[in-house]
Amino acid sequence: MEDSPRMDKVDRGENQSSPCQGRRCHPKALSYVTGDMREFANWLKDKPQVLQFFDWFLRGIAQVVFVNNPISGILILVGFLVQNPWWALLGSIGTVVSTLTALLLSQDRSAIAGGLHGYNATLVGLLIAVFSDKGDYFWWLLFPICAVSMTCPLFSSALSSVFSKWDLPVFTLPFNMAVTLYLSATGPYNPFFPSKLITPKTSVPNVTWSELNALQLLKSVPVGVGQIYGCDNLWTGLIFLGAILLSSPLMCLHAAIGSLLGMVAALSLSAPFEDIYSGLWGYNSSLACIAIGGMFVALTWQAHLLALTCALFTAYLGGSMSQLMAVHCLAL
């Protein structure tokens, strides 16, 4: 008779502990799909090369926004499809060609596995498609995209050997160099691969402040994040933010803040509302804010202020540089 109460207590304690164990399982399971998914990468090491290459491909797509997560890469690829399936195809081809080139050149395997030899070519494929004056599904465009994408590992390797002396990353400089050379070589009057005509502003824009749309300004924040990949679709920008959030909520927050500060900078310069609404003032400041506030600098309140300052400075610098480069029919 005396044993019964003690048994009841033990039973109640066991029943109470099982939900706690279940709750502890959820954060652990979540850790397998967030962050850089290191456990998944380790699991793939003894798997077929094709599966490993697909993982490298997805990480390369996500590395444009400093994300090393294959599921984020899948989400970003979905965002491309929402924006334009043709752009998605060309961005994917650029990533594959660049990654294969890095393998053939015997580049560092850990860098390839982290997608660091794919992200520049992702932008190459997308932006050549964006600036092409031939429209969608101009299949001859595959030739210059493959050729230019093959130069990205060469630029990355060369620049890394120089920048490593100061412990600096190359960021998207290989992409900028490759696409600038391509656009300079072709231009708007090329008979085979003409690019869109880019001209500097020659008159004062007609800005009527009473026509400013608060809802469009709000939409410009995720659109500015989407413009990191050259995409101006609202839903694409929201998907990109979700992909960044999956990897790091802190980086997602800084991405949104950076785009917001770019919009504020544009308003302070009385930029045309169309440029603001389309996110053209948000993408550079968003990347800068992510880099300082969530990636390369340990987060402190000083680092956070530095990230905000950097985002504003990048927006103002981007506005001036775009005007200078437009004189030579080049995009920023």
Side-chain angles (χ1 to χ4, degrees), residues 204-209 263-273 276 281:
V204 179
N206 184 18
V207 176
T208 306
W209 289 98
M263 179 256 290
V264 171
L267 291 174
S268 70
L269 294 178
S270 190
F273 295 155
I276 302 175
W281 280 83

Side-chain angles (χ1 to χ4, degrees), residues 1-292:
M1 295 293 292
E2 293 179 355
D3 291 338
S4 298
R6 286 197 297 269
M7 293 178 63
D8 291 343
K9 290 180 181 179
V10 171
D11 291 341
R12 284 195 294 268
E14 290 176 353
N15 293 333
Q16 290 172 0
S17 64
S18 57
C20 295
Q21 291 174 355
R23 284 194 295 269
R24 283 195 295 267
C25 288
H26 293 303
K28 186 176 181 181
L30 193 61
S31 67
Y32 289 125
V33 296
T34 57
D36 59 4
M37 291 184 63
R38 190 171 304 173
E39 294 83 359
F40 180 71
N42 292 333
W43 177 79
L44 277 177
K45 286 182 178 178
D46 59 347
K47 298 299 182 291
Q49 194 74 30
V50 174
L51 290 179
Q52 294 184 44
F53 187 86
F54 188 60
D55 177 62
W56 304 342
F57 161 75
L58 293 175
R59 291 177 188 268
I61 289 177
Q63 279 285 5
V64 175
V65 285
F66 308 112
V67 169
N68 186 12
N69 186 307
I71 297 181
S72 295
I74 293 174
L75 291 175
I76 292 172
L77 193 56
V78 170
F80 294 163
L81 292 171
V82 171
Q83 173 72 37
N84 189 319
W86 174 241
W87 295 6
L89 175 64
L90 296 186
S92 299
I93 289 175
T95 310
V96 169
V97 169
S98 180
T99 306
L100 287 174
T101 304
L103 284 171
L104 292 174
L105 294 175
S106 300
Q107 296 297 300
D108 180 62
R109 183 58 68 95
S110 63
I112 297 174
L116 297 180
H117 284 289
Y119 69 94
N120 280 294
T122 303
L123 293 175
V124 165
L126 288 168
L127 272 298
I128 287 181
V130 169
F131 291 118
S132 174
D133 200 38
K134 287 289 189 176
D136 295 342
Y137 301 103
F138 177 61
W139 294 100
W140 292 106
L141 203 61
L142 293 175
F143 290 101
I145 284 177
C146 290
V148 177
S149 296
M150 290 174 68
T151 67
C152 289
L154 300 176
F155 282 129
S156 295
S157 180
L159 292 169
S160 295
S161 63
V162 176
F163 286 11
S164 61
K165 297 178 182 179
W166 299 281
D167 197 26
L168 293 173
V170 298
F171 292 115
T172 55
L173 187 55
F175 148 73
N176 291 320
M177 295 173 64
V179 170
T180 299
L181 289 173
Y182 169 79
L183 293 177
S184 300
T186 55
Y189 306 112
N190 187 278
F192 301 114
F193 305 108
S195 59
K196 293 178 180 177
L197 181 62
I198 300 172
T199 57
K201 294 181 176 63
T202 57
S203 61
V204 179
N206 184 18
V207 176
T208 306
W209 289 98
S210 60
E211 297 178 357
L212 189 64
N213 191 313
L215 180 59
Q216 291 295 328
L217 286 179
L218 181 63
K219 291 180 179 179
S220 71
V221 175
V223 172
V225 176
Q227 281 287 5
I228 294 174
Y229 289 89
C231 301
D232 60 359
N233 185 286
L234 171 63
W235 294 107
T236 297
L238 291 172
I239 292 172
F240 291 171
L241 280 173
I244 301 172
L245 177 66
L246 182 66
S247 176
S248 170
L250 181 63
M251 290 171 61
C252 179
L253 175 64
H254 280 90
I257 292 176
S259 183
L260 176 65
L261 290 175
M263 179 256 290
V264 171
L267 291 174
S268 70
L269 294 178
S270 190
F273 295 155
E274 294 77 13
D275 292 348
I276 302 175
Y277 297 156
S278 60
L280 295 178
W281 280 83
Y283 68 97
N284 277 312
S285 54
S286 181
L287 271 179
C289 200
I290 296 173
I292 302 299

